[in-house]
Amino acid sequence: MRVDPRPIGIFDSGVGGLTVLREVKRRLPRESTVYLGDTARVPYGPRSAATVTKYAINNARTLLALADIKALVVACNTASAHALPALTEALPIPVVGVIEPGARAALAASTHGTIVVLGTSGTVRSGAYPRAIGPSRRVEARACPLFVPLVEEGWTTGDVPRLIAEQYLRDLPTDTSVIVLGCTHYPLLAPVLRAAVPAPIDGAAATAVELEALLRARDIQAPADSARRHRLLVTDAPEQLARVAPAFLGEAVDPASVELVDVLMTA
Amino acid sequence: MRVDPRPIGIFDSGVGGLTVLREVKRRLPRESTVYLGDTARVPYGPRSAATVTKYAINNARTLLALADIKALVVACNTASAHALPALTEALPIPVVGVIEPGARAALAASTHGTIVVLGTSGTVRSGAYPRAIGPSRRVEARACPLFVPLVEEGWTTGDVPRLIAEQYLRDLPTDTSVIVLGCTHYPLLAPVLRAAVPAPIDGAAATAVELEALLRARDIQAPADSARRHRLLVTDAPEQLARVAPAFLGEAVDPASVELVDVLMTA
């Protein structure tokens, strides 16, 4: 059995992908990670497919150049929706997105009825979830553009998020059996969403499972005795990431440990 | 008297600055304009001063290179707050921001009491409004980070914006005499804000007055018989700008007329 001590690269438009990093660290405690939050260009949700793809490739090349990653997790639904084929083609390493695992988790959670997917406008427009879920189930994807700013602002409880959630979740199909949180920010709104809908699920844990299978299949798992390291990189405002990170990551983050980087602009 | 038919350049992080373009077109009907909305990197409000300054200089150099502008209007409070000195130093043309005119409009609107400024986190953190208003008046600046996403989403009336506005405007100083809308998006929320506060004012009209004075002082006004042209440029998703522009600009925008450009990345 070969081993590979190089880190796993993870990127997101900002802090939302830390919910995926959390699951990766939990599931793969031997692995080193390098997380890049593209906070200088967040959010990706409203942007065009071409722009999100360009940003995704910038981020991936930056992680390769700065940290020699052995695999990439696209911990952002919008980037997974628009850029996964382009990333897979452009990169010399395996790439895992969050949409296929999220779709599989939805199919595992229910055997009938409509699957409702909440996501950014970009994710909804892309049609990526209905494609990944396949023709066996009815899928209704709804854009919830205010959820990301609400979470970034820290307004995850109270009347404002409740009212906004009620608007977005109005008139759900009567046979709705599962709600997929198709954006890595949304799990932070789970308490508000749970009041309105049956158990919402997200793809973070399923993504970590898929990553584990991929590392095993390629024989590139970290050695048992390797020195683990977890780096956090951002393209803007490290102190802001450090401030909000604990809610996503479930642990404290030392502001001095967050590195400010410029992404490589070659697409 | 000399004349100068070259256009006036105007940039904003996105669509908000169209409220300034509207006033410029109204006040200076002879002038040609080129508006650049940096929709690939909107919003600027939460970003660091260094990043906003870099983006502002990218935008200004792009307007110079593509359209040979004779003067620049920074139609974004956050960019005016962070980048005006750097722009003035870097560019060979005169530069007008929106904060000085907004501050003067606030001083003209009231002679006593506290001036409350609503703005993005970046504008508030910069302290630009208290500096521009000066020590004669008490200034309270409040960050309202959800207002921009609300306006971008088109939610400018109803319970959600009303509740959010109530939160941001809670416990205003009892001697508040004027509220400045220190972000070019916020005038679209004026109906909701008017329910909560005395007549809110914004700097768009005052900025057009300042621009007019500057063109006259430099002797670079457009000739009376010049062929006027108004160009709209964006860095992403032209069709989205065309869709929301009428609310800001007060006139219809042909989607086919909005040009997609790459900004020059040399800072």
Side-chain angles (χ1 to χ4, degrees):
Chain A
M1 198 180 87
R2 287 189 305 145
V3 291
D4 190 335
R6 289 179 300 163
I8 292 156
I10 304 177
F11 83 81
D12 178 44
S13 60
V15 296
L18 293 172
T19 56
V20 177
L21 173 60
R22 179 183 193 161
E23 294 299 328
V24 168
K25 288 174 78 171
R26 182 178 298 171
R27 180 113 204 150
L28 300 165
R30 283 187 194 173
E31 301 291 338
S32 291
T33 62
V34 186
Y35 180 92
L36 171 62
D38 189 13
T39 48
R41 303 187 295 190
V42 70
Y44 286 2
R47 308 204 197 285
S48 69
T51 292
V52 170
T53 300
K54 185 170 76 179
Y55 291 178
I57 289 179
N58 295 160
N59 297 341
R61 289 207 196 285
T62 303
L63 283 166
L64 274 168
L66 290 184
D68 190 23
I69 57 174
K70 64 181 172 186
L72 177 69
V73 178
V74 183
C76 169
N77 283 266
T78 309
S80 297
H82 290 314
L84 216 53
L87 286 166
T88 304
E89 195 178 310
L91 302 179
I93 56 169
V95 181
V96 177
V98 287
I99 288 183
E100 291 282 342
R104 273 197 293 276
L107 287 168
S110 73
T111 55
H112 64 282
T114 297
I115 297 174
V116 170
V117 178
L118 309 181
T120 66
S121 342
T123 298
V124 170
R125 266 187 284 113
S126 75
Y129 271 99
R131 258 198 314 280
I133 290 168
S136 70
R137 297 288 290 281
R138 196 172 161 257
V139 179
E140 182 167 324
R142 293 198 172 187
C144 308
L146 286 171
F147 278 173
V148 168
L150 273 177
V151 169
E152 297 268 344
E153 173 72 334
W155 285 19
T156 54
T157 56
D159 284 346
V160 169
R162 191 183 46 72
L163 258 181
I164 293 175
E166 278 173 15
Q167 294 247 29
Y168 286 146
L169 297 170
R170 199 165 49 182
D171 302 326
L172 286 183
T174 49
D175 71 338
T176 299
S177 56
V178 59
I179 305 262
V180 179
L181 305 184
C183 171
T184 50
H185 277 79
Y186 298 179
L188 274 79
L189 287 165
V192 165
L193 293 171
R194 243 180 252 123
V197 299
I201 63 164
D202 72 80
T207 301
V209 171
E210 172 149 334
L211 175 65
E212 183 182 31
L214 181 141
L215 297 180
R216 188 173 294 145
R218 303 266 182 139
D219 220 8
I220 53 172
Q221 290 169 289
D225 58 349
S226 71
R228 278 177 300 284
R229 193 176 166 207
H230 299 288
R231 294 172 68 188
L232 294 178
L233 318 179
V234 290
T235 54
D236 195 27
E239 70 293 346
Q240 273 184 53
L241 181 104
R243 186 171 49 76
V244 299
F248 292 85
L249 195 52
E251 59 188 83
V253 169
D254 174 9
S257 73
V258 183
E259 305 167 53
L260 181 64
V261 299
D262 269 328
V263 294
L264 299 177
M265 288 298 189
T266 52
Chain B
M1 199 181 88
R2 287 189 306 142
V3 293
D4 189 335
R6 289 180 299 163
I8 292 157
I10 304 176
F11 84 80
D12 177 46
S13 60
V15 297
L18 293 172
T19 56
V20 177
L21 173 59
R22 179 184 193 160
E23 293 299 329
V24 168
K25 288 173 78 171
R26 184 180 295 173
R27 180 113 202 147
L28 301 164
R30 282 186 195 174
E31 300 292 338
S32 292
T33 63
V34 186
Y35 180 92
L36 171 62
D38 189 12
T39 48
R41 302 187 296 190
V42 71
Y44 286 2
R47 308 204 197 286
S48 70
T51 292
V52 171
T53 300
K54 185 169 76 176
Y55 291 177
I57 290 180
N58 294 161
N59 297 341
R61 289 207 196 286
T62 303
L63 284 167
L64 274 167
L66 289 184
D68 189 25
I69 57 174
K70 66 182 171 186
L72 177 69
V73 178
V74 183
C76 168
N77 282 266
T78 309
S80 297
H82 291 313
L84 215 54
L87 285 166
T88 305
E89 196 178 309
L91 302 179
I93 55 168
V95 181
V96 178
V98 287
I99 288 183
E100 291 283 341
R104 275 200 291 279
L107 288 167
S110 72
T111 56
H112 64 282
T114 297
I115 297 174
V116 171
V117 178
L118 310 181
T120 67
S121 348
T123 299
V124 169
R125 266 188 283 114
S126 75
Y129 271 98
R131 260 199 313 281
I133 291 167
S136 70
R137 298 287 292 280
R138 194 170 162 261
V139 179
E140 182 168 322
R142 293 199 172 185
C144 307
L146 285 172
F147 279 173
V148 168
L150 272 178
V151 170
E152 297 267 346
E153 174 72 333
W155 284 20
T156 54
T157 57
D159 284 345
V160 169
R162 190 184 46 73
L163 258 181
I164 293 175
E166 278 172 18
Q167 293 248 29
Y168 287 146
L169 297 169
R170 202 167 44 183
D171 302 325
L172 286 183
T174 49
D175 71 338
T176 299
S177 56
V178 59
I179 306 261
V180 180
L181 305 184
C183 173
T184 49
H185 278 81
Y186 297 1
L188 273 78
L189 287 165
V192 165
L193 293 170
R194 242 179 252 124
V197 300
I201 63 165
D202 71 83
T207 301
V209 171
E210 173 150 332
L211 175 65
E212 182 182 34
L214 181 142
L215 297 180
R216 189 175 292 145
R218 304 266 181 139
D219 221 9
I220 53 171
Q221 292 170 287
D225 58 348
S226 71
R228 280 176 301 284
R229 193 178 165 203
H230 300 289
R231 293 172 69 188
L232 295 177
L233 318 179
V234 290
T235 53
D236 194 28
E239 70 294 344
Q240 273 184 54
L241 181 105
R243 187 172 47 77
V244 298
F248 293 84
L249 195 51
E251 60 187 83
V253 170
D254 173 9
S257 73
V258 182
E259 304 166 55
L260 180 64
V261 299
D262 269 326
V263 293
L264 298 176
M265 287 300 190
T266 52

